[in-house]
């Protein structure tokens, strides 16, 4: 089942079910007006939504309309909680190597994770607004999950059952702001810009064999201004899989329904697959040539994040954001 939130006059949009090929949709506000409302009653509403999805894909709903993903908000236009991990330690290792710093052994013992701003998510086809391109504007292409209510002290084994939906992520990082913030020892705030998610949030069964209950085994493709930055394999080099990330987040508290957890930048030790962030490419340039050559984003640049199935069809729709100057 594929779900989206179409923009309307409200902050949370209206929930629709989208056909598997992303061509048509049908409103389901009679079942749940928003995705947040659905996820809070998931055991009750999922069968109803699934039935509507089956009928839509069978062409049995005359009220279906053409789906335009450019009119979609992020599936959860805002969320009670957004947690971003760092599941791919090849990313951490390379970036630190470029700075001449070894990766701490503690990074192998428990996930890195921060709590980001979630009061407003950028739409998948909306501009990323930045006040100053000298902030070092970068993307981080990731996969994310949405959970139902997760009890405190949930084990990784039990955490699998709490993964209800998956999305793609473009997590904007302001690389020239981050170092000074982290040096204070209190985590990210201004160094993390806006976050955008794919038009589609889907149930794990839509991924077929590419989903094993813990990770997605497909390439994640990133283009900048039409040129491929990379397509790393999301199922390779995952040191902390999603159930482990959920368990870590729930170590001292419950997670409310609608919690969004990101994988962190998808990254492979095999650098021939390219990159899901500019910073990692720059780090490799430093290691190999002594200095970075690739610039961070300029105003007017465009980033596209997408995942394709074995037939080359887009699974989640595209995140396609232009970097634009903010003015008030």
């Amino acid at each position: 089942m594929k779900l989206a939130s179409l923009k309307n006059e409200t902050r949370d949009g209206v929930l629709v079910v989208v056909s598997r090929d992303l061509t048509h949709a049908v409103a389901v506000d009679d079942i749940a007006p928003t995705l947040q409302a659905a996820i809070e009653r998931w055991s009750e509403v999922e069968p109803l939504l699934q039935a509507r999805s089956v009928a839509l894909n069978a062409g049995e709903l005359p009220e279906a309309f053409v789906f335009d993903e450019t009119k979609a908000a992020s599936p959860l236009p805002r969320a009670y909680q957004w947690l971003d991990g760092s599941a791919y330690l090849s990313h951490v290792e390379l970036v630190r190597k470029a700075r001449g710093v070894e990766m701490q052994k503690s990074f192998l013992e428990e996930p890195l994770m921060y709590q980001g701003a979630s009061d407003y998510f950028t739409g998948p086809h909306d501009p990323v607004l930045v006040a100053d391109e000298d902030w070092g504007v970068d993307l981080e292409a990731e996969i994310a999950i949405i959970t139902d209510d997760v009890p405190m002290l949930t084990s990784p084994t039990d955490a699998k059952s709490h993964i209800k939906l998956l999305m793609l992520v473009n997590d904007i990082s302001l690389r020239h702001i981050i170092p000074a913030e982290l040096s204070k020892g209190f985590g990210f705030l201004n160094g993390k810009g806006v976050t955008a998610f794919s038009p589609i949030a889907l149930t794990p069964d839509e991924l077929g064999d590419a989903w094993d209950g813990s990770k997605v085994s497909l390439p994640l493709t990133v283009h900048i201004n039409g040129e491929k930055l990379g397509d790393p394999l999301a199922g390779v080099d995952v040191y902390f899989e999603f159930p482990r990330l959920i368990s870590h987040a729930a170590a001292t508290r419950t997670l409310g329904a609608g919690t969004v957890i990101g994988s962190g930048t998808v990254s492979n030790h095999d650098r021939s697959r390219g990159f899901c962030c500019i910073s990692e490419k720059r780090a490799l340039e430093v290691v190999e040539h002594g200095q970075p050559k690739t610039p961070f984003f300029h105003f007017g640049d465009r980033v596209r994040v997408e995942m394709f199935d074995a037939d080359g069809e887009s699974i989640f729709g595209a995140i396609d954001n232009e970097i634009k100057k903010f003015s008030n």
Side-chain angles (χ1 to χ4, degrees):
M1 175 172 60
K2 297 187 175 185
L3 303 171
S5 295
L6 294 182
K7 297 175 182 177
N8 60 12
E9 68 281 359
T10 71
R11 294 186 181 224
D12 298 302
V14 60
L15 183 64
V16 298
V17 167
V18 181
S19 61
R20 189 164 287 113
D21 62 5
L22 308 185
T23 60
H24 289 81
V26 63
V28 290
D29 51 330
D30 58 317
I31 299 173
T34 66
L35 184 55
Q36 181 63 41
I39 203 72
E40 288 178 357
R41 300 187 295 120
W42 192 247
S43 61
E44 174 188 343
V45 305
E46 182 189 16
L48 302 176
L49 294 173
Q50 286 282 13
R52 196 70 57 89
S53 176
V54 170
L56 174 64
N57 283 297
E60 298 172 351
L61 300 179
E63 67 271 28
F65 54 88
V66 174
F67 177 64
D68 181 355
E69 69 176 57
T70 67
K71 295 181 180 179
S74 285
L76 281 172
R78 54 180 175 168
Y80 289 115
Q81 185 159 228
W82 156 234
L83 305 172
D84 201 12
S86 190
Y88 297 85
L89 294 185
S90 55
H91 167 75
V92 179
E93 185 178 45
L94 178 57
V95 172
R96 292 176 72 87
K97 184 177 181 180
R99 301 203 313 262
V101 179
E102 289 188 8
M103 189 173 68
Q104 298 175 24
K105 291 182 179 179
S106 62
F107 289 6
L108 302 173
E109 298 167 1
E110 62 179 17
L112 294 169
M113 186 173 284
Y114 76 93
Q115 187 170 39
S118 59
D119 51 335
Y120 168 77
F121 292 138
T122 294
H125 289 264
D126 291 346
V128 166
L129 300 178
V130 182
D132 190 340
E133 65 180 30
D134 288 338
W135 286 346
V137 186
D138 195 2
L139 81 145
E140 293 193 41
E142 314 177 14
I143 299 168
I145 58 168
I146 301 176
T147 75
D148 61 1
D149 290 303
V150 181
M152 183 167 55
L153 297 179
T154 293
S155 69
T157 299
D158 292 339
K160 289 184 178 183
S161 66
H162 294 286
I163 299 172
K164 300 306 180 184
L165 296 166
L166 293 102
M167 307 179 287
L168 303 183
V169 190
N170 175 17
D171 180 39
I172 295 295
S173 292
L174 307 176
R175 301 296 186 185
H176 295 160
I177 293 177
I178 287 173
E181 273 198 322
L182 293 184
S183 69
K184 299 175 183 178
F186 215 54
F188 297 114
L189 180 64
N190 291 325
K192 285 294 184 178
V194 299
T195 307
F197 294 86
S198 54
I200 298 297
L202 53 78
T203 50
D205 60 287
E206 289 289 335
L207 294 171
D209 293 341
W211 174 253
D212 66 357
S214 299
K215 63 182 183 299
V216 178
S217 293
L218 287 169
L220 182 59
T221 303
V222 178
H223 286 85
I224 295 177
N225 298 328
E227 295 188 11
K228 184 184 285 188
L229 180 66
D231 58 352
L233 300 171
V236 175
D237 300 322
V238 193
Y239 198 84
F240 296 108
E241 298 178 351
F242 278 117
R244 181 70 176 86
L245 296 179
I246 295 171
S247 180
H248 176 74
T252 60
R253 55 180 171 173
T254 13
L255 308 180
T259 291
V260 183
I261 300 180
S263 65
T265 307
V266 174
S267 174
N268 295 159
H269 288 293
D270 177 7
R271 308 301 177 185
S272 69
R273 301 287 316 190
F275 310 96
C276 280
C277 69
I278 298 172
S279 182
E280 195 170 310
K281 184 177 182 182
R282 285 168 58 91
L284 186 62
E285 291 168 348
V286 170
V287 171
E288 293 183 343
H289 306 292
Q291 60 182 5
K293 299 179 181 179
T294 303
F296 290 119
F297 285 123
H298 297 293
F299 294 136
D301 287 343
R302 185 176 246 27
V303 56
R304 188 177 180 94
V305 179
E306 205 159 5
M307 182 172 279
F308 302 94
D309 64 19
D311 296 322
E313 299 297 325
S314 182
I315 301 172
F316 296 87
I319 302 173
D320 194 336
N321 302 129
E322 180 185 358
I323 311 303
K324 294 188 70 173
K325 184 174 178 61
F326 171 79
S327 58
N328 53 17

